[in-house]
Coordinates of all heavy atoms in Angstrom, one line a residue:
V1 N 0.9 -1.1 0.0 CA 0.0 0.0 0.0 C 0.9 1.2 0.0 O 1.8 1.3 0.9 CB -0.9 0.0 1.2 CG1 -1.8 1.3 1.3 CG2 -1.8 -1.2 1.3
G2 N 0.7 2.1 -1.0 CA 1.7 3.2 -1.1 C 3.1 2.7 -1.3 O 3.3 1.7 -2.1
K3 N 4.0 3.1 -0.5 CA 5.4 2.6 -0.6 C 5.7 1.5 0.4 O 6.9 1.0 0.5 CB 6.4 3.7 -0.5 CG 6.4 4.4 0.9 CD 7.5 5.5 1.0 CE 7.5 6.0 2.4 NZ 8.6 7.0 2.5
Y4 N 4.6 1.1 1.1 CA 4.8 0.1 2.2 C 4.3 -1.3 1.8 O 3.4 -1.4 1.1 CB 4.1 0.6 3.5 CG 4.6 1.9 4.0 CD1 3.9 3.1 3.8 CD2 5.8 2.0 4.7 CE1 4.3 4.3 4.3 CE2 6.2 3.2 5.1 CZ 5.6 4.4 4.9 OH 6.0 5.5 5.4
I5 N 5.1 -2.3 2.3 CA 4.7 -3.7 2.2 C 4.1 -4.1 3.5 O 4.8 -4.0 4.5 CB 5.8 -4.6 1.8 CG1 6.4 -4.1 0.4 CG2 5.5 -6.0 1.8 CD1 7.7 -4.8 0.0
L6 N 2.9 -4.6 3.5 CA 2.2 -5.0 4.7 C 2.3 -6.5 4.8 O 2.3 -7.3 3.8 CB 0.7 -4.6 4.7 CG 0.5 -3.1 4.4 CD1 -1.0 -2.8 4.3 CD2 1.2 -2.3 5.5
D7 N 2.4 -7.0 6.1 CA 2.4 -8.5 6.2 C 1.1 -9.1 5.8 O 1.2 -10.1 5.0 CB 2.7 -8.8 7.7 CG 4.1 -8.3 8.1 OD1 5.0 -8.5 7.3 OD2 4.3 -8.0 9.3
F8 N 0.0 -8.5 6.2 CA -1.3 -9.0 5.8 C -2.2 -7.8 5.7 O -2.2 -6.9 6.5 CB -2.0 -10.0 6.9 CG -1.2 -11.3 7.0 CD1 -0.2 -11.4 8.0 CD2 -1.3 -12.3 6.1 CE1 0.5 -12.6 8.2 CE2 -0.6 -13.5 6.2 CZ 0.3 -13.6 7.3
Y9 N -3.0 -7.9 4.7 CA -4.0 -6.7 4.4 C -5.3 -7.2 4.0 O -5.4 -8.1 3.0 CB -3.4 -5.8 3.3 CG -4.3 -4.6 3.0 CD1 -4.8 -3.7 4.1 CD2 -4.7 -4.3 1.7 CE1 -5.6 -2.7 3.8 CE2 -5.6 -3.3 1.4 CZ -6.0 -2.4 2.5 OH -6.8 -1.4 2.2
F10 N -6.3 -6.8 4.7 CA -7.7 -7.2 4.3 C -8.3 -6.0 3.6 O -8.7 -5.0 4.2 CB -8.5 -7.5 5.7 CG -7.9 -8.6 6.4 CD1 -6.9 -8.4 7.3 CD2 -8.4 -9.9 6.3 CE1 -6.3 -9.5 8.0 CE2 -7.9 -11.0 7.0 CZ -6.8 -10.8 7.9
F11 N -8.4 -6.1 2.3 CA -8.7 -5.1 1.4 C -10.1 -4.5 1.7 O -10.2 -3.2 2.0 CB -8.7 -5.5 0.0 CG -9.1 -4.4 -1.0 CD1 -8.2 -3.5 -1.4 CD2 -10.4 -4.3 -1.5 CE1 -8.6 -2.4 -2.2 CE2 -10.7 -3.4 -2.4 CZ -9.8 -2.4 -2.8
F12 N -11.2 -5.2 1.8 CA -12.5 -4.7 2.0 C -12.7 -4.1 3.4 O -13.4 -3.2 3.6 CB -13.6 -5.8 1.7 CG -13.6 -6.2 0.3 CD1 -13.2 -7.4 -0.2 CD2 -14.2 -5.3 -0.7 CE1 -13.2 -7.7 -1.5 CE2 -14.2 -5.6 -2.0 CZ -13.7 -6.8 -2.5
E13 N -12.0 -4.7 4.4 CA -12.1 -4.2 5.8 C -11.2 -3.0 6.1 O -11.3 -2.4 7.1 CB -11.8 -5.4 6.7 CG -12.9 -6.4 6.8 CD -12.7 -7.4 5.6 OE1 -11.7 -7.3 4.8 OE2 -13.6 -8.2 5.5
K14 N -10.2 -2.8 5.1 CA -9.2 -1.7 5.3 C -8.5 -1.9 6.6 O -8.4 -1.1 7.5 CB -9.8 -0.3 5.2 CG -10.3 0.0 3.8 CD -10.7 1.4 3.6 CE -9.5 2.0 3.0 NZ -9.8 3.4 2.5
F15 N -7.9 -3.2 6.7 CA -7.3 -3.6 8.0 C -6.0 -4.3 7.7 O -6.0 -5.2 6.9 CB -8.3 -4.5 8.7 CG -8.0 -4.9 10.1 CD1 -8.2 -4.1 11.2 CD2 -7.3 -6.2 10.3 CE1 -7.8 -4.5 12.5 CE2 -6.9 -6.5 11.6 CZ -7.2 -5.6 12.7
A16 N -5.0 -3.8 8.4 CA -3.7 -4.5 8.2 C -3.2 -5.1 9.5 O -3.5 -4.7 10.6 CB -2.6 -3.4 7.8
V17 N -2.5 -6.3 9.3 CA -1.9 -7.0 10.4 C -0.4 -7.0 10.2 O 0.1 -7.4 9.2 CB -2.4 -8.4 10.6 CG1 -1.7 -9.2 11.7 CG2 -3.9 -8.5 10.7
E18 N 0.3 -6.4 11.2 CA 1.8 -6.4 11.1 C 2.4 -7.3 12.2 O 2.0 -7.2 13.4 CB 2.3 -5.0 11.3 CG 2.0 -4.0 10.1 CD 2.7 -4.5 8.9 OE1 4.0 -4.6 9.0 OE2 2.1 -4.8 7.9
I19 N 3.2 -8.2 11.8 CA 3.9 -9.1 12.7 C 5.2 -8.5 13.1 O 6.1 -8.4 12.2 CB 4.0 -10.5 12.1 CG1 2.6 -11.0 11.8 CG2 4.7 -11.4 13.1 CD1 2.5 -12.2 10.9
D20 N 5.4 -8.2 14.4 CA 6.7 -7.6 14.8 C 7.6 -8.7 15.4 O 7.2 -9.6 16.1 CB 6.4 -6.6 15.9 CG 5.7 -5.3 15.3 OD1 5.9 -5.1 14.1 OD2 5.1 -4.6 16.1
E21 N 8.9 -8.5 15.1 CA 9.9 -9.4 15.6 C 11.0 -8.6 16.3 O 10.8 -7.3 16.4 CB 10.5 -10.2 14.5 CG 9.5 -11.1 13.8 CD 10.1 -12.0 12.7 OE1 11.3 -12.4 12.9 OE2 9.4 -12.3 11.8
E22 N 12.1 -9.2 16.7 CA 13.1 -8.5 17.4 C 13.6 -7.3 16.6 O 14.0 -6.2 17.1 CB 14.3 -9.4 17.9 CG 13.9 -10.2 19.1 CD 15.1 -11.1 19.5 OE1 16.3 -10.6 19.3 OE2 14.9 -12.1 20.0
V23 N 13.7 -7.5 15.3 CA 14.3 -6.5 14.4 C 13.4 -5.2 14.5 O 14.0 -4.1 14.3 CB 14.3 -7.0 13.0 CG1 13.0 -7.2 12.4 CG2 15.2 -6.1 12.1
N24 N 12.2 -5.4 14.8 CA 11.3 -4.2 15.0 C 11.5 -3.4 16.3 O 10.9 -2.3 16.5 CB 9.8 -4.6 14.9 CG 9.5 -5.2 13.6 OD1 9.5 -6.4 13.5 ND2 9.2 -4.4 12.6
D25 N 12.4 -3.9 17.1 CA 12.7 -3.2 18.4 C 13.7 -2.0 18.3 O 13.9 -1.3 19.2 CB 13.1 -4.2 19.4 CG 11.9 -5.2 19.8 OD1 10.8 -4.8 19.6 OD2 12.3 -6.2 20.3
T26 N 14.4 -2.0 17.1 CA 15.4 -0.9 17.1 C 14.7 0.5 16.8 O 13.5 0.5 16.4 CB 16.3 -1.1 15.8 OG1 15.5 -1.0 14.6 CG2 16.9 -2.5 15.9
L27 N 15.4 1.6 17.2 CA 14.8 2.9 17.0 C 14.5 3.2 15.6 O 13.4 3.7 15.3 CB 15.9 3.9 17.6 CG 15.4 5.4 17.4 CD1 14.1 5.6 18.2 CD2 16.5 6.3 17.9
E28 N 15.4 2.8 14.6 CA 15.1 3.0 13.2 C 13.8 2.3 12.8 O 13.0 2.9 12.1 CB 16.2 2.5 12.4 CG 16.1 2.8 10.9 CD 17.3 2.2 10.1 OE1 18.4 2.0 10.7 OE2 17.2 2.1 8.9
S29 N 13.6 1.1 13.2 CA 12.4 0.3 12.9 C 11.1 0.9 13.5 O 10.1 1.0 12.9 CB 12.5 -1.2 13.3 OG 13.4 -1.8 12.5
K30 N 11.3 1.4 14.8 CA 10.1 2.0 15.4 C 9.7 3.3 14.7 O 8.5 3.6 14.5 CB 10.4 2.3 16.9 CG 10.5 1.1 17.8 CD 10.8 1.4 19.2 CE 11.1 0.2 20.0 NZ 9.9 -0.5 20.4
I31 N 10.7 4.1 14.2 CA 10.3 5.3 13.5 C 9.7 4.9 12.2 O 8.7 5.5 11.8 CB 11.6 6.2 13.3 CG1 12.1 6.7 14.6 CG2 11.4 7.2 12.2 CD1 13.5 7.3 14.5
H32 N 10.2 3.9 11.5 CA 9.6 3.4 10.2 C 8.2 3.0 10.4 O 7.3 3.3 9.7 CB 10.5 2.4 9.6 CG 10.0 1.7 8.4 ND1 10.0 2.4 7.1 CD2 9.3 0.6 8.2 CE1 9.4 1.6 6.2 NE2 9.0 0.5 6.9
D33 N 8.0 2.1 11.4 CA 6.7 1.6 11.7 C 5.7 2.7 12.1 O 4.5 2.7 11.7 CB 6.8 0.6 12.9 CG 7.4 -0.7 12.5 OD1 7.7 -0.9 11.4 OD2 7.8 -1.5 13.5
S34 N 6.1 3.7 12.9 CA 5.3 4.8 13.2 C 4.9 5.6 11.9 O 3.7 6.0 11.8 CB 6.0 5.7 14.2 OG 5.2 6.8 14.5
D35 N 5.9 5.9 11.1 CA 5.6 6.6 9.8 C 4.6 5.8 9.0 O 3.7 6.4 8.4 CB 6.9 6.8 9.0 CG 7.8 7.8 9.7 OD1 7.3 8.6 10.6 OD2 8.9 7.9 9.2
R36 N 4.7 4.6 8.9 CA 3.8 3.7 8.1 C 2.4 3.7 8.7 O 1.4 3.9 8.1 CB 4.3 2.2 8.1 CG 3.3 1.3 7.3 CD 3.9 -0.1 7.2 NE 4.4 -0.5 8.5 CZ 5.4 -1.4 8.5 NH1 5.9 -2.0 7.5 NH2 5.8 -1.8 9.7
D37 N 2.3 3.6 10.1 CA 1.1 3.6 10.7 C 0.3 4.9 10.5 O -0.9 4.9 10.3 CB 1.2 3.3 12.2 CG 1.6 1.9 12.5 OD1 1.5 1.0 11.6 OD2 2.0 1.7 13.7
V38 N 1.0 6.0 10.6 CA 0.4 7.4 10.4 C -0.1 7.4 8.9 O -1.2 7.9 8.7 CB 1.5 8.5 10.6 CG1 1.0 9.8 10.1 CG2 1.7 8.6 12.1
F39 N 0.7 7.0 7.9 CA 0.2 7.0 6.6 C -0.9 6.2 6.4 O -2.0 6.6 5.8 CB 1.4 6.5 5.7 CG 0.9 6.3 4.2 CD1 0.6 7.3 3.3 CD2 0.7 5.0 3.8 CE1 0.1 7.1 2.1 CE2 0.3 4.7 2.6 CZ 0.0 5.8 1.7
L40 N -0.9 4.9 6.9 CA -2.0 4.0 6.7 C -3.3 4.6 7.4 O -4.4 4.6 6.8 CB -1.8 2.6 7.3 CG -0.6 1.9 6.6 CD1 -0.3 0.6 7.4 CD2 -1.0 1.5 5.2
K41 N -3.2 5.2 8.5 CA -4.3 5.9 9.2 C -4.9 7.0 8.4 O -6.1 7.1 8.2 CB -4.0 6.3 10.6 CG -5.1 6.8 11.4 CD -4.7 7.2 12.8 CE -5.9 7.7 13.5 NZ -5.6 8.0 14.9
S42 N -4.0 7.7 7.7 CA -4.5 8.9 6.9 C -5.2 8.5 5.7 O -6.0 9.3 5.1 CB -3.2 9.7 6.4 OG -2.5 9.1 5.4
I43 N -5.1 7.2 5.3 CA -5.9 6.7 4.1 C -7.0 5.8 4.6 O -7.6 5.0 3.8 CB -5.1 6.1 3.0 CG1 -4.2 4.9 3.5 CG2 -4.2 7.2 2.4 CD1 -3.5 4.2 2.4
G44 N -7.3 5.7 5.9 CA -8.4 4.9 6.4 C -8.1 3.5 6.7 O -9.0 2.7 6.9
I45 N -6.8 3.1 6.8 CA -6.5 1.7 7.1 C -6.0 1.6 8.6 O -5.2 2.4 9.1 CB -5.3 1.2 6.2 CG1 -5.8 1.2 4.8 CG2 -4.9 -0.2 6.7 CD1 -4.7 0.9 3.7
R46 N -6.8 0.7 9.3 CA -6.4 0.4 10.7 C -5.3 -0.6 10.7 O -5.3 -1.6 10.0 CB -7.6 -0.1 11.5 CG -8.7 0.9 11.5 CD -10.0 0.4 12.1 NE -10.4 -0.9 11.6 CZ -11.0 -1.1 10.5 NH1 -11.3 -0.1 9.7 NH2 -11.4 -2.4 10.1
T47 N -4.4 -0.5 11.7 CA -3.3 -1.4 11.8 C -3.3 -2.1 13.1 O -3.5 -1.5 14.2 CB -1.9 -0.7 11.7 OG1 -1.9 0.0 10.4 CG2 -0.8 -1.7 11.7
F48 N -3.1 -3.5 13.1 CA -3.1 -4.2 14.3 C -1.7 -4.9 14.3 O -1.3 -5.6 13.4 CB -4.2 -5.3 14.3 CG -4.1 -6.3 15.5 CD1 -4.3 -5.8 16.8 CD2 -3.8 -7.6 15.3 CE1 -4.3 -6.7 17.9 CE2 -3.7 -8.5 16.3 CZ -4.0 -8.1 17.6
R49 N -0.9 -4.6 15.4 CA 0.4 -5.1 15.6 C 0.4 -6.3 16.6 O -0.3 -6.2 17.6 CB 1.4 -4.1 16.0 CG 1.5 -2.9 15.1 CD 2.7 -2.0 15.5 NE 3.1 -1.3 14.3 CZ 3.8 -1.8 13.3 NH1 4.3 -3.0 13.3 NH2 4.1 -1.1 12.2
I50 N 1.2 -7.3 16.2 CA 1.3 -8.5 17.1 C 2.7 -9.0 17.0 O 3.3 -9.0 16.0 CB 0.3 -9.6 16.8 CG1 0.3 -10.6 17.9 CG2 0.5 -10.1 15.4 CD1 -1.1 -11.0 18.4
R51 N 3.2 -9.5 18.2 CA 4.5 -10.1 18.2 C 4.5 -11.5 17.6 O 3.6 -12.2 17.9 CB 5.1 -10.1 19.6 CG 5.3 -8.8 20.4 CD 6.3 -7.9 19.8 NE 7.6 -8.6 20.0 CZ 8.7 -8.0 19.6 NH1 8.8 -6.7 19.2 NH2 9.9 -8.6 19.9
S52 N 5.6 -11.8 16.9 CA 5.7 -13.2 16.3 C 5.7 -14.2 17.4 O 5.1 -15.3 17.3 CB 7.0 -13.3 15.5 OG 8.1 -13.1 16.2
E53 N 6.2 -13.9 18.6 CA 6.2 -14.9 19.7 C 4.8 -15.3 20.1 O 4.5 -16.4 20.5 CB 7.0 -14.3 20.9 CG 8.5 -14.1 20.7 CD 8.7 -12.7 20.1 OE1 7.8 -11.9 20.0 OE2 9.9 -12.4 19.8
E54 N 3.9 -14.3 20.1 CA 2.5 -14.6 20.4 C 1.9 -15.5 19.5 O 1.1 -16.4 19.9 CB 1.7 -13.3 20.5 CG 2.1 -12.4 21.7 CD 1.2 -11.2 21.8 OE1 0.0 -11.3 22.0 OE2 1.8 -10.1 21.6
I55 N 2.2 -15.4 18.2 CA 1.7 -16.3 17.1 C 2.2 -17.7 17.3 O 1.4 -18.6 17.3 CB 2.1 -15.8 15.7 CG1 1.4 -14.4 15.5 CG2 1.7 -16.8 14.7 CD1 1.9 -13.7 14.3
E56 N 3.5 -17.8 17.7 CA 4.1 -19.1 17.9 C 3.5 -19.8 19.1 O 3.4 -21.0 19.1 CB 5.6 -18.9 18.1 CG 6.3 -18.5 16.8 CD 7.7 -18.1 17.1 OE1 8.3 -18.3 18.2 OE2 8.4 -17.6 16.1
I57 N 3.1 -19.0 20.1 CA 2.6 -19.7 21.4 C 1.2 -20.2 21.1 O 0.8 -21.2 21.6 CB 2.6 -18.6 22.5 CG1 4.1 -18.3 22.9 CG2 1.8 -19.1 23.7 CD1 4.2 -17.2 23.9
N58 N 0.3 -19.4 20.5 CA -1.1 -19.8 20.4 C -1.7 -19.1 19.2 O -2.4 -18.1 19.3 CB -1.9 -19.5 21.6 CG -3.1 -20.3 21.7 OD1 -3.6 -20.7 20.6 ND2 -3.7 -20.5 22.9
I59 N -1.5 -19.6 18.0 CA -2.1 -19.0 16.8 C -3.6 -19.0 16.8 O -4.2 -18.0 16.2 CB -1.6 -19.8 15.5 CG1 -1.9 -18.9 14.3 CG2 -2.2 -21.2 15.4 CD1 -1.0 -19.2 13.1
D60 N -4.3 -19.9 17.5 CA -5.8 -19.8 17.5 C -6.2 -18.6 18.2 O -7.2 -17.9 17.8 CB -6.3 -21.1 18.1 CG -6.1 -22.3 17.4 OD1 -6.0 -22.2 16.1 OD2 -6.0 -23.4 17.9
V61 N -5.6 -18.3 19.4 CA -6.0 -17.1 20.1 C -5.7 -15.8 19.3 O -6.5 -14.9 19.2 CB -5.2 -17.0 21.4 CG1 -5.4 -15.7 22.2 CG2 -5.7 -18.1 22.4
V62 N -4.6 -15.8 18.6 CA -4.2 -14.7 17.7 C -5.2 -14.5 16.7 O -5.7 -13.4 16.4 CB -2.8 -14.8 17.2 CG1 -2.5 -13.7 16.2 CG2 -1.7 -14.7 18.3
A63 N -5.6 -15.6 16.0 CA -6.6 -15.5 14.9 C -7.9 -15.0 15.5 O -8.6 -14.1 14.8 CB -6.8 -16.9 14.3
E64 N -8.3 -15.3 16.6 CA -9.6 -14.9 17.2 C -9.5 -13.4 17.6 O -10.4 -12.6 17.3 CB -9.9 -15.6 18.5 CG -10.5 -17.0 18.4 CD -11.8 -17.0 17.7 OE1 -12.7 -16.1 17.9 OE2 -12.1 -17.9 16.9
M65 N -8.3 -13.0 18.0 CA -8.1 -11.5 18.3 C -8.2 -10.7 17.0 O -8.8 -9.6 17.0 CB -6.7 -11.3 18.9 CG -6.5 -11.8 20.3 SD -4.8 -11.8 20.9 CE -4.2 -10.2 20.5
I66 N -7.6 -11.2 16.0 CA -7.7 -10.5 14.7 C -9.1 -10.4 14.2 O -9.6 -9.3 13.8 CB -6.7 -11.1 13.6 CG1 -5.3 -11.0 14.0 CG2 -7.0 -10.6 12.2 CD1 -4.3 -11.8 13.2
L67 N -9.9 -11.5 14.2 CA -11.2 -11.4 13.8 C -12.1 -10.5 14.6 O -12.9 -9.7 14.2 CB -11.8 -12.9 13.8 CG -11.3 -13.8 12.8 CD1 -11.8 -15.2 13.0 CD2 -11.6 -13.3 11.4
K68 N -11.8 -10.5 16.0 CA -12.6 -9.6 16.8 C -12.3 -8.1 16.5 O -13.1 -7.3 16.5 CB -12.2 -9.9 18.3 CG -13.0 -9.0 19.3 CD -12.8 -9.4 20.7 CE -13.5 -8.6 21.7 NZ -14.3 -7.5 21.3
K69 N -11.0 -7.8 16.3 CA -10.6 -6.5 15.9 C -11.3 -6.0 14.6 O -11.9 -4.9 14.5 CB -9.1 -6.3 15.7 CG -8.3 -6.5 17.0 CD -8.3 -5.1 17.7 CE -7.3 -5.2 18.8 NZ -7.4 -4.0 19.7
I70 N -11.3 -6.8 13.6 CA -12.0 -6.5 12.4 C -13.5 -6.3 12.6 O -14.1 -5.3 12.2 CB -11.8 -7.6 11.3 CG1 -10.3 -7.7 10.9 CG2 -12.6 -7.5 10.1 CD1 -9.9 -8.9 10.0
Y71 N -14.1 -7.2 13.4 CA -15.5 -7.1 13.7 C -15.9 -5.9 14.4 O -16.8 -5.2 14.0 CB -16.0 -8.4 14.4 CG -17.5 -8.3 14.9 CD1 -18.4 -8.7 13.9 CD2 -17.8 -7.9 16.1 CE1 -19.8 -8.6 14.3 CE2 -19.2 -7.9 16.5 CZ -20.1 -8.2 15.6 OH -21.5 -8.1 15.9
D72 N -15.1 -5.6 15.5 CA -15.4 -4.4 16.3 C -15.2 -3.1 15.5 O -16.0 -2.2 15.7 CB -14.4 -4.4 17.5 CG -14.7 -5.5 18.5 OD1 -15.8 -6.1 18.5 OD2 -13.9 -5.7 19.4
C73 N -14.3 -3.1 14.6 CA -14.1 -1.9 13.8 C -15.1 -1.7 12.7 O -15.3 -0.5 12.3 CB -12.7 -1.9 13.1 SG -11.3 -1.8 14.3
N74 N -15.8 -2.7 12.4 CA -16.9 -2.6 11.4 C -18.3 -2.4 11.9 O -19.2 -2.4 11.2 CB -16.8 -3.8 10.4 CG -15.6 -3.8 9.6 OD1 -15.3 -2.7 9.0 ND2 -14.9 -4.8 9.4
Q75 N -18.3 -2.3 13.3 CA -19.7 -2.1 13.9 C -20.0 -0.6 13.9 O -19.2 0.3 14.1 CB -19.7 -2.6 15.3 CG -19.6 -4.1 15.4 CD -20.6 -4.9 14.5 OE1 -21.8 -4.7 14.7 NE2 -20.2 -5.6 13.5
P76 N -21.3 -0.2 13.6 CA -21.7 1.2 13.7 C -21.6 1.7 15.1 O -21.7 0.9 16.1 CB -23.2 1.2 13.3 CG -23.6 -0.2 13.4 CD -22.4 -1.1 13.3
P77 N -21.2 2.9 15.3 CA -21.1 3.5 16.7 C -22.4 3.4 17.5 O -23.4 3.5 16.9 CB -20.7 4.9 16.5 CG -20.8 5.2 15.0 CD -21.0 3.9 14.3
A78 N -22.3 3.1 18.8 CA -23.5 3.0 19.6 C -24.0 4.4 19.8 O -23.3 5.4 19.9 CB -23.0 2.4 20.9
H79 N -25.3 4.5 19.9 CA -26.0 5.8 20.0 C -26.3 6.0 21.5 O -26.6 5.1 22.3 CB -27.3 5.8 19.3 CG -27.2 5.8 17.9 ND1 -26.6 6.8 17.1 CD2 -27.4 4.8 16.9 CE1 -26.5 6.5 15.8 NE2 -27.0 5.2 15.7
S80 N -26.1 7.2 22.0 CA -26.3 7.5 23.5 C -27.8 7.7 23.7 O -28.5 8.3 23.0 CB -25.5 8.7 23.9 OG -24.2 8.6 23.4

């Protein structure tokens, strides 16, 4: 999307999943990730970040988390 490569992108939901690893812990990577997140948000794409370790530990829980995030973001706002 734009000049960025996303790990996973759900086109119709405008939702990106980014898998972070140790390499993402450097200052340079954090700045790059922040710039990417700001750009994606500016074009209406929500980003969900998850550590690779969490995926390795329990991929089923991670899949449920992703589905819940997509579902929650697509619900109309509650009226007061």
